[in-house]
Amino acid sequence: MIRRNRAVLLAESALRRCGNHPVVTELLAELAPLSAERRRRSATIDRSCALLDELARGLGVGVWGIKGLSSRVGYPEPALREMRDVDVSVHGRDEAFALARALRGHGFVTDTGELPWLKADRHGVPYGQYKLTGPDGFAAIDLHFGPGYSTGHCGLLPVPPPTAPGLTPLPQVDNLRPMLGNSGGDIHITVKDVNDLWVVAGAMSDDEAAAVVADARAAALDGHLAAIAGVALSVSRVDERRREVLSAFAGGRERRAERPVLATGLMRRTSRVRVLRTATRAYRQAGAHTDSVALRVWAVLSALAYYSVPLRPRLTPLPPVRSTPRPWRCVRLVPLSLARDLAERGEAGLRDWAGDALPEPAASRAPGGVRFRRVGTGQVVVDGDGDRDGHRDAVFIPTVWFLLSRPMIRRAGAQ
């Protein structure tokens, strides 16, 4: 249960202050291998942050450290706030792909477990995510981009644009949006979520708290926010200011309270709950994009399908589904080399893909941003601004349901 709640180092720190009781000694011994792994992970996160900051400054790109990178500022020791990877946010798609290009020049590769994806808000502005796996000694880096943090099927929580080049922790009040979006997307509530909310609640004004409630309501996460606040009130010591803010969160839901799904050892039983809640929320979330009841119902049905089916790249004889981003149409970008390996070797090609690291460090290549362009219907090309004519930094095949056909792959490779 401690592991599920992302609180291994926090629990160890608390237990070490509890004396030498046999139960404490036994728990510490059981946690020891997990604690050692978390410390190693913390070191890889610090290395990835240092590299990302250096590259972002060189490109003149502002980067917010979100979720754990922001929350850990409020912890007694930053390492006590567990993180699995480095989550950051940049203003736009081009900045994200420029950073991805630079990281690939340092051994990072496109993550196959979370392929890059794009959606578009109601104004047609792209938003999405590009996750890269680091080389040995570096944590994965998850680049979020666009006007907000994506949550659920078509919810969007606002994130302000970065203000200066380099990596900077997102202010903690603003970070409540990504934190809530991540937790709400996962459905369950962890000790990590409760602690993050507790820390920031002590420094919020009434207006800031009201704004968070309004944004949560627009993304259909007011019930989830109320649930986290309710748990925080029931298990935490709170001063008057925290009690006022947490009570405002707990009472800010538009509908009846959702039953909290706590992170316990029975998490496998929550997968169906996650699908149902995501689909149900899609109706309210779609209301931010359309007044059409029919389209809102379609958002529910597509969410139910998308979150129920295990999604991974696979070959199909069917023609491709339209791959233009929409608020609830998630367009995945499959690297051409990965698609070719799949076509040639099937599942083994997916499993053994060599990655798409660039052959030379980004510092020795032309500096600057990228050009992100669609070529016909078969591919998306990302070129470096200063690259030689005809050079392609990255070629992706867009797909909605991870379905790829051999003609699509051949056409993308030929263009």
Side-chain angles (χ1 to χ4, degrees), residues 1-270:
M1 193 176 292
I2 289 171
R3 180 178 60 82
R4 293 274 185 191
N5 278 275
R6 314 277 179 81
V8 170
L9 294 179
L10 200 61
E12 182 188 61
S13 175
L15 286 167
R16 291 195 184 283
R17 299 193 297 270
C18 292
N20 296 319
H21 190 283
V23 173
V24 172
T25 302
E26 184 178 351
L27 281 170
L28 284 171
E30 192 170 344
L31 285 174
L34 294 174
S35 300
E37 190 276 332
R38 297 303 189 274
R39 290 191 184 90
R40 287 193 296 270
R41 183 190 297 172
S42 181
T44 67
I45 285 170
D46 289 342
R47 282 192 285 271
S48 287
C49 285
L51 175 61
L52 184 62
D53 181 58
E54 176 188 347
L55 296 175
R57 290 178 186 276
L59 291 170
V61 173
V63 181
W64 285 129
I66 64 173
K67 295 162 59 173
L69 286 180
S70 172
S71 296
R72 68 178 183 174
V73 174
Y75 278 62
E77 299 175 35
L80 295 180
R81 174 50 164 89
E82 282 191 26
M83 296 160 51
R84 285 189 296 187
D85 46 34
V86 174
D87 280 281
V88 298
S89 176
V90 298
H91 180 57
R93 178 193 61 195
D94 290 351
E95 290 93 333
F97 278 80
L99 278 172
R101 171 181 183 262
L103 287 166
R104 287 170 52 226
H106 287 265
F108 282 74
V109 298
T110 301
D111 186 87
T112 56
E114 181 73 36
L115 290 173
W117 60 266
L118 296 167
K119 292 185 181 181
D121 69 10
R122 59 181 175 175
H123 305 295
V125 178
Y127 66 93
Q129 191 173 338
Y130 190 162
K131 184 174 182 180
L132 298 109
T133 301
D136 288 345
F138 289 83
I141 295 178
D142 212 346
L143 300 167
H144 301 258
F145 58 89
Y149 184 91
S150 175
T151 181
H153 195 52
C154 46
L156 197 62
L157 290 161
V159 175
T163 54
L167 176 61
T168 307
L170 181 65
Q172 288 190 313
V173 171
D174 293 320
N175 190 54
L176 270 186
R177 277 84 170 179
M179 168 263 175
L180 179 64
N182 180 71
S183 177
D186 290 341
I187 296 300
H188 55 265
I189 298 169
T190 66
V191 167
K192 166 179 66 68
D193 301 325
V194 173
N195 285 338
D196 288 353
L197 191 63
W198 186 93
V199 167
V200 73
M204 295 186 71
S205 68
D206 291 340
D207 288 344
E208 288 172 331
V212 169
V213 170
D215 289 337
R217 187 174 295 135
L221 290 178
D222 47 321
H224 190 71
L225 174 63
I228 301 174
V231 173
L233 284 168
S234 66
V235 303
S236 307
R237 294 179 181 177
V238 292
D239 54 26
E240 183 177 353
R241 173 79 291 222
R242 281 192 172 89
R243 183 174 298 281
E244 290 174 354
V245 171
L246 292 173
S247 296
F249 289 159
R253 56 185 176 271
E254 193 173 63
R255 291 168 171 76
R256 65 184 180 86
E258 296 177 339
R259 181 180 178 183
V261 180
L262 304 180
T264 69
L266 305 176
M267 289 303 298
R268 282 175 294 182
R269 298 184 183 180
T270 68

Side-chain angles (χ1 to χ4, degrees), residues 302-319:
S302 59
L304 193 61
Y306 199 86
Y307 285 84
S308 299
V309 178
L311 295 173
R312 54 184 175 77
R314 55 193 184 274
L315 292 173
T316 175
L318 300 174

